[in-house]
Amino acid sequence: QGQLVESGGGLVQAGGSLRLSCATSAMIFSPTTMGWFRQAPGKQRDLVATITSGGSTTYIDFVEGRFTISRDNAKNTVYLQMNSLKPEDTAVYYCNARNSYFNIWGRGTQVTVSS
């Protein structure tokens, strides 16, 4: 089993919502900036959103106002709430854990938005 375990992907119609989850251990989660990236077929992997251990968030322009990243420190889990989904959001979404000592990736979860 991987160190970052993603769930919540699937098929949804345009305008719908999905919530992605990424669970890990306390040792990885606590001192770490957690992030979500995505990679569409034939394209590079791009940052979607990050959240620091202190709760500060960043988003790419394309998802700001539609996506919300959050973290539950008691559950060692980071979430990505995705609303108003568009076909352009179709991609494999990857969870990432990064600090001065490591940079860890999950295996990814497929999100498909139909028009």
Side-chain angles (χ1 to χ4, degrees), residues 78-90:
V78 63
Y79 303 98
L80 185 68
Q81 177 67 43
M82 305 186 293
N83 300 327
S84 303
L85 282 161
K86 305 176 180 181
E88 306 92 282
D89 295 317
T90 295

Side-chain angles (χ1 to χ4, degrees), residues 13-27:
Q13 289 188 330
S17 299
L18 285 173
R19 188 176 80 155
L20 305 184
S21 300
C22 174
T24 187
S25 67
M27 185 172 64

